Amino acid sequence: SAHQQPDRLGAQCGVLQLSHTQTLAVQHRQLAAAYREFPEFVRYLESAPASRLAGIDCAHGGLFFPACGWLSPPLVCQRLVRCDNIEVVCNSDTETLEWDGRQWWVSDTRGLRHSAPVVVIATAFEALRFEQTRHLPLRSIRGQVSYLPATADSRRLQTVICAEGYIAPAANDMHCLGATFTNRDGDPSLRPADHAANLQSLGRAAPALAAGFSNIDINHLAGRTAFRCATPDYLPVVGPAPIHEAFLCDYAPLRKNARASIPMAGRYHPGLYLNLGHGSRGLAYTPLCAELLGAHVEGQLLPLPRSLATVLHPARFIIRDLIRGRQ
């Protein structure tokens, strides 16, 4: 609906990361000191100047990132696929993924079939439905955001405020307020209790702003529920899809000796790649991860140091489990 989707891609309005605990206050000051020569990147503000910059009273000081802001994920995605070489098929529930020796075949529940020599699985924790990726230790974390109608006071908000949660300046006369984190919870429906939790988080970060929403009816508040895809080490899974059974066989010596020398490369599903596990940071991580994936597919030089590409590699969990005796 109109209130859920702003009419502009975003705004580079700056982000204020509040130091809402004493530990964060120490860490944020240390970070600001480390980057003191780059105030255009980040600087530390006490609560009074932070409040002046934000346009509303903040309960804490914090780090200010002047070049950051907010984006509308649906509009960003629509912009990214606006290309003659891209065909978007929506409302399609993929059922099977099969390799015929030359290319992959993707079949959906409506009986439609698509083929390609290269397939990228980027379906978050739904990747677990495919036989080739069922071994990945992915989990979903439920999150709910609330859409607050702007008030005369809240329209003064000039920057994104982040603490336990976040609130963005009004767009289409609505604020996006989020977000809850709930493990082992598959409920897709909007819950008033989660709206209340979002408002409570806002109250601790910016009490004066939250007070303006004290009379809001949380039982009829708009919002959105979705599920983040998380990994055990909270890093994305980006690269070629390993053949699970082949890795267990080829790297079996690691069960007895974690330092065993294994003079062979791992075996992978031909033309199958993964881009998963971005948690809450999809819009931040995926552009660079897409570049990394393109380099993997084309056999080009990687745009990241080899050490970083390795910690993102999809096979890392199999290797770790073998070393720990879990496989």
Side-chain angles (χ1 to χ4, degrees), residues 121 127-136 241 272 274 276:
I121 297 178
L128 298 180
R129 71 167 60 188
F130 300 119
E131 180 188 349
Q132 295 87 351
T133 45
R134 203 164 286 153
H135 62 90
L136 292 168
L272 187 62
L274 312 179
L276 305 161

Side-chain angles (χ1 to χ4, degrees), residues 93-134:
D93 200 3
T94 302
E95 197 166 41
T96 59
L97 182 61
E98 298 168 311
W99 175 254
D100 70 0
R102 293 188 309 115
Q103 58 186 346
W104 289 97
W105 289 90
V106 178
S107 305
D108 68 20
T109 49
R110 297 177 300 176
L112 298 177
R113 301 187 80 206
H114 308 273
S115 64
V118 172
V119 167
V120 177
I121 297 178
T123 54
F125 66 95
E126 294 286 352
L128 298 180
R129 71 167 60 188
F130 300 119
E131 180 188 349
Q132 295 87 351
T133 45
R134 203 164 286 153

Side-chain angles (χ1 to χ4, degrees), residues 131-146:
E131 180 188 349
Q132 295 87 351
T133 45
R134 203 164 286 153
H135 62 90
L136 292 168
L138 304 176
R139 60 191 175 93
S140 70
I141 302 176
R142 183 185 179 278
Q144 181 173 313
V145 298
S146 308

Side-chain angles (χ1 to χ4, degrees), residues 179-190:
T180 58
F181 275 78
T182 319
N183 278 308
R184 293 182 290 278
D185 186 342
D187 179 15
S189 61
L190 286 176

Side-chain angles (χ1 to χ4, degrees), residues 213-234:
F213 299 110
S214 58
N215 294 325
I216 203 159
D217 181 3
I218 60 172
N219 293 302
H220 297 93
L221 195 60
R224 179 172 176 266
T225 299
F227 299 89
R228 308 169 186 87
C229 178
T231 63
D233 56 14
Y234 295 100

Side-chain angles (χ1 to χ4, degrees), residues 154-206:
S154 76
R155 289 188 191 97
R156 293 164 41 213
L157 181 63
Q158 298 297 310
T159 69
V160 177
I161 302 288
C162 295
E164 296 167 71
Y166 59 84
I167 185 169
N172 281 13
D173 230 23
M174 284 279 174
H175 296 279
C176 182
L177 172 70
T180 58
F181 275 78
T182 319
N183 278 308
R184 293 182 290 278
D185 186 342
D187 179 15
S189 61
L190 286 176
R191 297 200 293 236
D194 283 32
H195 286 320
N198 284 334
L199 286 163
Q200 286 164 7
S201 295
L202 178 63
R204 288 187 286 272

